[in-house]
Amino acid sequence: MPRILAIDYGSKRCGLAHTDPLKVIATPLHACATNELFPFLHHYLSQQNVEKIILGYPKTLQNTDTDATQAVRQLEKSLQKRYPNIPILLWDERFTSKMAHQTMLAAGLKKSDRRDKLLVDRTAAVILLQSYLNTQL
């Protein structure tokens, strides 16, 4: 069964999450330096059947573009060009990093673990993907 993949894009790092085969639960997949994203995706997509990619779309509280919005649009175009058979959906990512920190705190993670930016990025990707899945019920 195909999965859904989520990407929380950042200028330095990207967090990735994917669904279980039934598309009910989002789980952390990977976090990497941004320049390692496409090699990772190439490998992952050659191994997994993905029906859709959810791409975190940064907006301000006033629903205007942020400094990162243009970079995400460029990534969307690159993804569409490389993977034309996989739909790309831009999804509001406001507060995902803040929610990731709060989730890690609530889970009782030590301060040193909460400083792990790769863990924060993976957690933000899970929150992004789960928010999408929650609207599909």
Coordinates of all heavy atoms in Angstrom, one line a residue, residues 13 95-125 127:
R13 N 18.5 22.2 7.3 CA 18.1 20.8 7.5 C 16.7 20.6 7.1 O 15.9 21.5 7.1 CB 18.2 20.5 9.0 CG 19.6 20.4 9.6 CD 19.6 20.2 11.1 NE 18.6 21.2 11.7 CZ 18.9 22.4 12.0 NH1 20.0 23.0 11.6 NH2 18.0 23.2 12.5
F95 N 3.9 27.0 13.2 CA 4.0 26.5 14.6 C 4.5 25.0 14.7 O 4.6 24.5 15.8 CB 2.6 26.6 15.4 CG 2.1 28.0 15.4 CD1 0.9 28.2 14.7 CD2 2.7 29.0 16.0 CE1 0.3 29.5 14.8 CE2 2.2 30.3 16.1 CZ 1.0 30.5 15.4
T96 N 4.9 24.4 13.6 CA 5.3 23.0 13.8 C 6.6 22.8 14.6 O 6.7 21.9 15.4 CB 5.5 22.3 12.4 OG1 6.4 23.0 11.6 CG2 4.2 22.1 11.7
S97 N 7.5 23.7 14.4 CA 8.7 23.7 15.2 C 8.5 23.9 16.7 O 9.0 23.3 17.5 CB 9.8 24.6 14.7 OG 10.2 24.2 13.4
K98 N 7.6 24.9 16.9 CA 7.3 25.2 18.3 C 6.5 24.0 18.9 O 6.8 23.7 20.1 CB 6.4 26.5 18.4 CG 6.1 26.9 19.8 CD 5.4 28.3 19.8 CE 5.0 28.7 21.1 NZ 6.1 29.1 22.0
M99 N 5.6 23.5 18.2 CA 4.9 22.3 18.7 C 5.8 21.1 18.9 O 5.6 20.3 19.8 CB 3.7 22.0 17.7 CG 2.6 23.0 17.7 SD 1.5 22.8 16.4 CE 0.8 21.2 16.7
A100 N 6.8 21.0 18.1 CA 7.8 19.9 18.2 C 8.5 20.1 19.5 O 8.7 19.1 20.3 CB 8.8 19.9 17.0
H101 N 9.0 21.3 19.8 CA 9.7 21.5 21.1 C 8.7 21.2 22.3 O 9.1 20.6 23.3 CB 10.1 23.0 21.2 CG 11.4 23.2 20.5 ND1 12.6 22.8 20.9 CD2 11.6 23.9 19.3 CE1 13.5 23.1 20.0 NE2 13.0 23.8 19.0
Q102 N 7.5 21.6 22.2 CA 6.5 21.4 23.3 C 6.2 19.9 23.4 O 6.1 19.4 24.6 CB 5.2 22.1 23.0 CG 5.4 23.6 23.2 CD 4.1 24.4 22.8 OE1 3.3 23.9 22.0 NE2 4.0 25.6 23.3
T103 N 6.1 19.2 22.3 CA 5.9 17.7 22.4 C 7.1 17.0 23.0 O 6.9 16.1 23.8 CB 5.7 17.2 20.9 OG1 4.6 17.9 20.4 CG2 5.5 15.7 20.9
M104 N 8.3 17.4 22.7 CA 9.5 16.8 23.2 C 9.6 17.1 24.7 O 9.9 16.2 25.5 CB 10.7 17.3 22.5 CG 10.8 16.8 21.1 SD 12.0 17.7 20.0 CE 13.5 17.3 20.8
L105 N 9.2 18.3 25.1 CA 9.2 18.6 26.6 C 8.1 17.8 27.3 O 8.4 17.2 28.4 CB 8.9 20.1 26.7 CG 8.9 20.7 28.1 CD1 10.3 20.6 28.7 CD2 8.5 22.2 28.1
A106 N 6.9 17.7 26.7 CA 5.9 16.9 27.3 C 6.2 15.4 27.4 O 5.8 14.7 28.3 CB 4.6 17.1 26.6
A107 N 7.1 15.0 26.5 CA 7.5 13.6 26.5 C 8.6 13.3 27.5 O 9.0 12.2 27.7 CB 8.0 13.1 25.1
G108 N 9.0 14.3 28.2 CA 10.0 14.2 29.2 C 11.5 14.1 28.7 O 12.3 13.6 29.4
L109 N 11.7 14.5 27.5 CA 13.1 14.4 27.0 C 14.0 15.4 27.7 O 13.6 16.5 28.1 CB 13.1 14.8 25.5 CG 12.5 13.7 24.5 CD1 12.5 14.2 23.1 CD2 13.2 12.4 24.7
K110 N 15.2 15.0 27.9 CA 16.2 15.8 28.6 C 16.5 17.0 27.7 O 16.3 17.0 26.5 CB 17.5 15.0 28.8 CG 17.3 13.9 29.8 CD 18.6 13.2 30.0 CE 18.9 12.3 28.9 NZ 20.1 11.6 29.0
K111 N 17.0 18.1 28.4 CA 17.3 19.3 27.7 C 18.3 19.1 26.5 O 18.2 19.6 25.4 CB 17.9 20.3 28.6 CG 18.0 21.7 28.1 CD 18.4 22.7 29.2 CE 18.3 24.1 28.6 NZ 18.6 25.1 29.7
S112 N 19.3 18.2 26.8 CA 20.3 17.9 25.7 C 19.6 17.3 24.5 O 20.0 17.6 23.4 CB 21.4 17.1 26.3 OG 20.9 15.8 26.7
D113 N 18.6 16.4 24.7 CA 17.9 15.8 23.6 C 17.1 16.8 22.9 O 16.9 16.7 21.7 CB 17.1 14.6 24.1 CG 17.9 13.5 24.6 OD1 19.0 13.3 24.2 OD2 17.4 12.7 25.5
R114 N 16.5 17.7 23.6 CA 15.6 18.7 23.0 C 16.4 19.7 22.1 O 15.9 20.4 21.3 CB 14.8 19.5 24.0 CG 13.8 18.6 24.7 CD 12.8 19.4 25.6 NE 13.4 20.4 26.4 CZ 13.7 20.2 27.7 NH1 13.4 19.1 28.3 NH2 14.2 21.2 28.5
R115 N 17.7 19.8 22.4 CA 18.6 20.6 21.6 C 19.0 20.0 20.3 O 19.6 20.6 19.4 CB 19.9 21.0 22.4 CG 19.6 22.0 23.5 CD 20.9 22.4 24.1 NE 20.6 23.2 25.3 CZ 21.4 23.4 26.3 NH1 22.5 22.7 26.4 NH2 21.0 24.2 27.3
D116 N 18.7 18.7 20.1 CA 19.1 18.0 18.9 C 18.2 18.4 17.8 O 17.0 18.1 17.7 CB 18.9 16.5 19.1 CG 19.2 15.6 17.9 OD1 19.5 16.2 16.8 OD2 19.2 14.4 18.1
K117 N 18.8 19.3 16.9 CA 18.0 19.9 15.8 C 17.4 18.9 14.8 O 16.4 19.1 14.3 CB 18.8 21.0 15.1 CG 19.2 22.1 16.1 CD 19.7 23.3 15.4 CE 20.1 24.4 16.3 NZ 19.0 25.0 17.0
L118 N 18.1 17.8 14.6 CA 17.6 16.8 13.7 C 16.4 16.1 14.3 O 15.4 15.8 13.6 CB 18.7 15.7 13.4 CG 19.9 16.2 12.6 CD1 20.9 15.1 12.5 CD2 19.5 16.7 11.3
L119 N 16.4 15.9 15.6 CA 15.2 15.3 16.3 C 14.0 16.3 16.2 O 12.9 15.9 16.0 CB 15.5 15.0 17.7 CG 14.4 14.4 18.6 CD1 13.8 13.2 18.0 CD2 14.9 14.2 20.0
V120 N 14.3 17.6 16.4 CA 13.3 18.6 16.3 C 12.7 18.6 14.9 O 11.5 18.7 14.7 CB 13.8 20.0 16.6 CG1 12.8 21.1 16.4 CG2 14.3 20.1 18.1
D121 N 13.5 18.5 13.9 CA 13.1 18.5 12.5 C 12.2 17.3 12.1 O 11.2 17.4 11.5 CB 14.3 18.6 11.5 CG 15.0 20.0 11.6 OD1 14.4 20.9 12.0 OD2 16.2 20.0 11.2
R122 N 12.6 16.1 12.6 CA 11.8 14.9 12.4 C 10.5 15.1 13.1 O 9.4 14.7 12.5 CB 12.6 13.7 12.9 CG 13.6 13.2 12.0 CD 14.1 11.8 12.4 NE 14.5 11.7 13.8 CZ 15.7 11.9 14.3 NH1 16.7 12.2 13.5 NH2 16.0 11.8 15.6
T123 N 10.5 15.6 14.3 CA 9.2 15.7 15.1 C 8.3 16.8 14.4 O 7.1 16.5 14.3 CB 9.6 16.2 16.5 OG1 10.5 15.2 17.1 CG2 8.3 16.3 17.4
A124 N 8.9 17.8 13.9 CA 8.1 18.8 13.2 C 7.5 18.2 11.9 O 6.3 18.5 11.6 CB 8.9 20.1 12.8
A125 N 8.2 17.4 11.2 CA 7.6 16.7 10.0 C 6.5 15.8 10.4 O 5.5 15.7 9.7 CB 8.7 15.9 9.3
I127 N 4.5 16.2 13.0 CA 3.3 17.1 13.3 C 2.7 17.6 12.0 O 1.5 17.6 11.9 CB 3.8 18.2 14.3 CG1 4.2 17.6 15.6 CG2 2.7 19.3 14.4 CD1 4.9 18.6 16.5

